[in-house]
């Protein structure tokens, strides 16, 4: 797999990361190195092996349906760059 | 009834699929211990998990799993013993994680089907594609400030069950009936309160049109319909819009649209070409859900009798018409109310009183049956008074009004107001006689062949008795004494 400049531009846009046009080429090269490294995994024969999302057989305890968190708007808003009347405040977005 | 849409150039078939977002009834959120109660002050029900603070980890709420499995079973759908949470990536300020935790390739519930009854008696089968678990987003308020958007994360992280149908519906009526049925089932089993005003149940409609028998057309998705009325209107308007474009030689652009309730039309949401690249991948913070057959069987055992089964039982056990039965079973509270009233009584009489008199009043005042001022027991008492001839059906209507307004019992009202029906033949005979004596002209008319006058005499006697005379006896005595 190989990424070209256009793909990198698109990925950057989807991730909302601003990458200057001049850096796209370099970044494509770096990403391709990383992908090449990961592609070593293709050497392993996985025929007949179920895809899995975790190597762990462990199944955690689920949470009981009990309210034991929240209730502190100030704490939730503590890191917000801007807030008013208990709301987070952001630049206007209308879709 | 033809469901085809007539265009200038011939008939078109509408094809509809629905996505229903149903909020689960749980106390805490899908992955955090914050409360799900509606209407709290902004951001007072937000854990650091819901606000997506770095390092916070989601822990799955067991009740959300139970509710999803129970819903899947009640919707006649296959439960997947193995399911996986995935991240759906997109940016919006009311989604602090930058992704929504949802399920993609492996949802907790797979295919199934529902039968829906249309008004003309037709039965339509609608396929269910899947039901998956996902987090709700927060709420954006755009009207609080000219240049800012305000965000409340109380809803962020609440459990949603997204129920996706197959594109099996062919008219807005079918879509509304299907959505109504899903809502009714979820309310029966207490997995979603179905409150559309509060947003606990929302619909997205996928609409396309085609010539009958041809391949599927390009569809548009109409988002966030929060009432069945809007669902119907949005589909009807969207179908006409698409037909007009196609008949003018145009092409339908696949896009997301909003229904403008004020204008009664759909319009395009600003469509960014790449906005729909969600780049799903399995959520590394969450392990798959693995259920046992035994767990699923246990969930199945918790289900109450569902609307379809109950309707059939009402038809056979209470000899109700399918229509009356479907009206009564649409809500669990209503069906329970009816069964209490009908127990040991004339079931048709009970159904009439519940449907015409009680619902008539409740609907006018938009009071739910659970808050009815006349309890099922109280209505039963009133019906007993009719059945044992203590009062006539006519007087019963007045007594019912009084019960509804004062909350008093039927017997108490009948005694207090002296409404007990007069069945003493001698007393009625006397009243009939005095009406005859007072109206010699009318009597002569009647005897001359004007049979219709019996109704007038009836009215006079009933008036004289203040409505308390037994109507059957009055009728019988009148005919006998007028002919004498």
């Amino acid at each position: 797999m190989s990424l070209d400049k256009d793909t990198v531009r698109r990925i950057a846009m989807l991730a909302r990361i601003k990458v200057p046009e001049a850096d796209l080429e370099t970044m494509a090269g770096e990403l391709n190195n990383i992908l090449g490294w990961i592609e070593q995994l293709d050497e392993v024969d996985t025929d007949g092996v179920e895809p899995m999302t975790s190597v762990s057989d462990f199944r955690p305890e689920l949470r009981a349906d009990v309210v034991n968190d929240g209730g502190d708007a100030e704490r939730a808003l503590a890191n917000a760059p801007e807030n008013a009347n208990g709301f987070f405040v952001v630049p206007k977005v209308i879709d | 009834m033809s469901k085809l849409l007539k265009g200038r150039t011939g008939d078109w078939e509408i094809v509809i699929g629905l996505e229903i977002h149903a909020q689960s009834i749980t106390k805490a959120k899908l992955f955090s211990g914050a409360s799900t109660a509606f209407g709290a002050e902004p951001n007072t029900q937000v854990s650091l998990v819901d606000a997506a603070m770095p390092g916070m980890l989601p822990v799955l709420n067991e009740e959300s799993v139970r509710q999803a499995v129970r819903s899947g079973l009640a919707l006649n759908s296959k439960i997947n013993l193995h399911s996986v949470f995935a991240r759906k990536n997109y940016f919006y300020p009311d989604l602090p994680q930058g992704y929504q935790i949802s399920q993609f390739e492996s949802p907790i519930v797979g295919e199934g089907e529902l039968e829906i009854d249309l008004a003309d008696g037709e039965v339509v089968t609608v396929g269910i594609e899947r039901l998956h678990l996902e987090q709700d987003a927060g709420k954006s308020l755009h009207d609080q400030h000219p240049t800012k958007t305000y965000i409340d994360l109380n809803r962020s992280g609440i459990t949603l069950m997204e129920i996706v149908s197959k594109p099996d519906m062919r008219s807005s009526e079918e879509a509304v009936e299907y959505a109504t049925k899903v809502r009714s089932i979820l309310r029966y089993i207490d997995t979603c309160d179905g409150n559309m005003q509060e947003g606990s149940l929302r619909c997205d409609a996928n609409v396309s049109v085609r010539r009958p028998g041809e391949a599927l057309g390009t569809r548009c998705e109409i988002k966030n319909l929060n009432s069945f009325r809007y669902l119907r209107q949005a589909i009807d308007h969207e179908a006409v819009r698409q037909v007009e474009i196609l008949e003018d030689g145009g092409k339908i652009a696949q896009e997301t649209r909003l229904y403008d309730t004020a204008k009664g039309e759909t319009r395009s949401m600003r469509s960014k070409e790449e906005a729909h690249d969600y780049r799903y991948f399995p959520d590394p913070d969450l392990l798959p859900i693995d259920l046992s057959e035994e767990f699923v069987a246990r969930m199945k055992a918790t289900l109450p009798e569902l609307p379809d089964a109950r309707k059939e039982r009402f038809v056979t056990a209470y000899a109700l018409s399918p229509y009356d039965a479907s009206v009564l079973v649409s809500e669990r509270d209503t069906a329970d109310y009816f069964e209490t009233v009908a127990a040991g009584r004339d079931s048709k009489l009970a159904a009439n009183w519940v449907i015409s008199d009680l619902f008539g009043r409740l609907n006018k005042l938009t009071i739910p049956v659970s808050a009815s001022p006349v309890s099922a027991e109280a209505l039963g008492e009133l019906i007993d008074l009719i059945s044992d001839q203590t009062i006539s059906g006519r007087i019963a209507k007045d007594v019912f009004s009084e019960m509804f307004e004062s909350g008093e019992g039927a017997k108490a009202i009948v005694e207090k107001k002296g409404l007990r029906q007069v069945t003493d033949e001698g007393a009625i005979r006397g009243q009939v006689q005095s009406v005859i004596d007072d109206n010699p002209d009318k009597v002569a008319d009647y005897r001359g062949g004007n049979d219709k006058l019996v109704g007038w005499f009836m009215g006079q006697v009933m008036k004289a008795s203040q409505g308390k005379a037994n109507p059957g006896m009055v009728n019988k005595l009148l005919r006998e004494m007028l002919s004498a």
Side-chain angles (χ1 to χ4, degrees):
Chain A
M1 188 175 174
S2 173
L3 298 179
D4 59 16
K5 226 168 95 172
D6 284 344
T7 312
V8 175
R9 190 186 291 117
R10 190 176 132 76
I11 294 169
M13 193 280 295
L14 287 171
R16 302 294 188 275
I17 294 171
K18 194 181 278 177
V19 180
E21 190 67 23
D23 295 351
L24 287 175
E25 201 70 64
T26 322
M27 186 151 290
E30 285 173 1
L31 286 171
N32 278 324
N33 279 338
I34 295 169
L35 286 175
W37 181 71
I38 293 168
E39 273 168 4
Q40 290 179 70
L41 288 171
D42 288 348
E43 291 165 21
V44 182
D45 179 6
T46 55
D47 279 0
V49 179
E50 278 281 304
M52 56 181 174
T53 49
S54 161
V55 291
S56 167
D57 277 339
F58 167 72
R59 289 292 176 267
E61 287 281 303
L62 300 186
R63 170 191 293 282
D65 186 27
V66 173
V67 175
N68 56 13
D69 204 349
D72 189 349
E74 245 173 71
R75 181 162 175 252
L77 291 164
N79 287 324
E82 193 180 345
N83 69 76
N85 312 323
F87 291 98
F88 291 90
V89 176
V90 301
K92 183 151 260 178
V93 271
I94 294 219
D95 212 31
Chain B
M1 190 185 73
S2 171
K3 292 166 188 163
L4 297 177
L5 194 58
K6 293 235 176 299
R8 276 179 281 128
T9 60
D11 288 343
W12 296 86
E13 183 177 52
I14 312 174
V15 177
I16 305 154
L18 290 188
E19 293 167 19
I20 296 178
H21 294 86
Q23 241 180 43
S24 271
I25 297 179
T26 58
K27 297 184 192 77
K29 295 182 178 178
L30 180 55
F31 297 118
S32 85
S35 168
T36 60
F38 180 80
E41 289 298 306
N43 294 304
T44 53
Q45 294 173 175
V46 178
S47 85
L48 297 186
V49 176
D50 310 320
M53 291 297 166
M56 303 311 293
L57 283 174
V59 182
L60 181 57
N61 184 338
E62 64 181 1
E63 186 64 11
S64 302
V65 175
R66 288 166 44 89
Q67 298 291 48
V69 170
R70 294 177 73 242
S71 300
L73 290 168
L75 294 167
N76 303 316
S77 300
K78 179 177 173 286
I79 305 304
N80 292 326
L81 297 180
H82 179 80
S83 67
V84 176
F85 284 107
R87 292 185 179 180
K88 177 180 181 177
N89 297 281
Y90 68 93
F91 284 101
Y92 204 75
D94 57 25
L95 184 80
Q97 286 161 162
Y99 56 85
Q100 177 192 33
I101 304 178
S102 180
Q103 296 186 304
F104 187 53
E105 285 173 337
S106 308
I108 190 162
V109 177
E111 293 183 322
E113 56 184 41
L114 276 193
E115 279 186 355
I116 53 172
D117 298 302
L118 303 185
D120 63 0
E122 191 193 349
V123 178
V124 175
T125 301
V126 177
I128 289 172
E129 177 73 34
R130 61 191 283 159
L131 175 156
H132 65 252
L133 281 167
E134 63 182 29
Q135 300 173 297
D136 206 345
K139 204 166 86 184
S140 298
L141 290 90
H142 302 296
D143 56 1
Q144 305 289 304
H145 190 282
T147 60
K148 306 281 187 180
T149 292
Y150 283 34
I151 313 277
D152 174 10
L153 296 181
N154 281 348
R155 212 177 58 189
S156 167
I158 288 182
T159 307
L160 290 183
M161 298 180 287
E162 179 171 337
I163 302 159
V164 184
S165 84
K166 294 186 186 282
D168 285 351
M169 289 156 275
R170 296 290 175 270
S171 68
S172 57
E173 185 204 356
E174 290 184 14
V176 169
E177 285 303 324
Y178 164 79
T180 304
K181 181 119 186 204
V182 169
R183 177 176 181 273
S184 165
I185 289 172
L186 300 182
R187 282 172 53 81
Y188 256 69
I189 63 173
D190 268 330
T191 61
C192 173
D193 67 21
N195 188 329
M196 299 186 77
Q197 270 141 14
E198 293 179 3
S200 322
L201 192 105
R202 325 191 275 273
C203 292
D204 299 342
N206 284 294
V207 180
S208 64
V209 298
R210 64 176 172 190
R211 296 291 190 188
E214 287 187 0
L216 288 177
T218 304
R219 66 188 155 86
C220 289
E221 181 180 12
I222 313 164
K223 283 268 190 207
N224 265 328
L225 298 161
N226 62 3
S227 84
F228 290 148
R229 189 161 61 97
Y230 293 153
L231 174 63
R232 180 190 305 271
Q233 291 173 356
I235 290 170
D236 288 340
H237 281 95
E238 178 61 15
V240 169
R241 185 189 73 89
Q242 292 186 12
V243 165
E244 276 172 6
I245 291 176
L246 293 170
E247 293 196 326
D248 286 342
K251 279 178 85 176
I252 306 297
Q254 180 165 346
E255 62 181 357
T256 305
R257 300 179 69 84
L258 275 182
Y259 182 60
D260 184 327
T261 54
K263 290 195 184 133
E265 61 188 29
T266 65
R267 63 181 152 80
S268 183
M269 291 171 79
R270 220 180 329 141
S271 75
K272 289 172 223 138
E273 241 176 74
E274 287 166 311
H276 286 295
D277 190 346
Y278 291 130
R279 293 151 298 145
Y280 283 95
F281 64 89
D283 192 314
D285 285 344
L286 286 157
L287 289 164
I289 308 175
D290 283 309
L291 307 173
S292 65
E293 295 280 7
E294 182 269 332
F295 172 81
V296 176
R298 231 176 334 121
M299 290 304 102
K300 191 157 198 170
T302 67
L303 295 180
E305 185 182 30
L306 295 170
D308 277 353
R310 202 165 195 186
K311 179 184 158 191
E312 234 162 78
R313 184 166 61 79
F314 277 20
V315 170
T316 48
Y318 295 114
L320 300 184
S321 72
Y323 178 77
D324 282 355
S326 69
V327 170
L328 290 170
V329 303
S330 66
E331 295 284 339
R332 193 173 170 181
D333 284 347
T334 312
D336 288 346
Y337 187 103
F338 165 73
E339 292 214 78
T340 306
V341 176
R345 302 194 175 92
D346 178 338
S347 56
K348 278 190 177 161
L349 192 58
N352 281 340
W353 274 93
V354 172
I355 294 173
S356 319
D357 300 275
L358 181 73
F359 288 2
R361 288 264 180 155
L362 292 177
N363 289 345
K364 214 178 277 170
L365 303 170
T366 59
I367 301 175
V369 75
S370 55
S372 168
V374 178
S375 70
E377 290 76 11
L379 182 54
E381 183 185 305
L382 175 67
I383 292 173
D384 287 342
L385 294 180
I386 304 169
S387 299
D388 69 11
Q389 307 228 340
T390 303
I391 54 174
S392 66
R394 176 68 206 81
I395 291 281
K397 304 270 176 194
D398 297 338
V399 175
F400 179 75
S401 285
E402 176 95 20
M403 291 166 71
F404 200 91
E405 271 145 38
S406 70
E408 268 186 280
K411 275 185 192 149
I413 294 169
V414 168
E415 291 310 326
K416 192 178 70 183
K417 301 208 155 181
L419 298 173
R420 200 170 264 280
Q421 180 164 249
V422 176
T423 48
D424 170 10
E425 192 175 322
I428 296 175
R429 196 175 278 276
Q431 278 166 335
V432 171
Q433 193 58 56
S434 64
V435 170
I436 288 177
D437 291 348
D438 291 349
N439 297 281
D441 313 356
K442 293 273 189 332
V443 175
D445 254 15
Y446 177 85
R447 289 183 177 153
N450 191 351
D451 287 352
K452 284 184 195 147
L453 271 176
V454 77
W456 182 85
F457 279 106
M458 185 82 196
Q460 295 302 305
V461 178
M462 291 308 288
K463 205 165 140 192
S465 76
Q466 293 167 298
K468 287 185 285 186
N470 178 311
M473 291 179 67
V474 174
N475 193 26
K476 182 179 137 264
L477 289 173
L478 257 177
R479 285 175 192 279
E480 178 191 312
M481 293 164 70
L482 278 168
S483 311

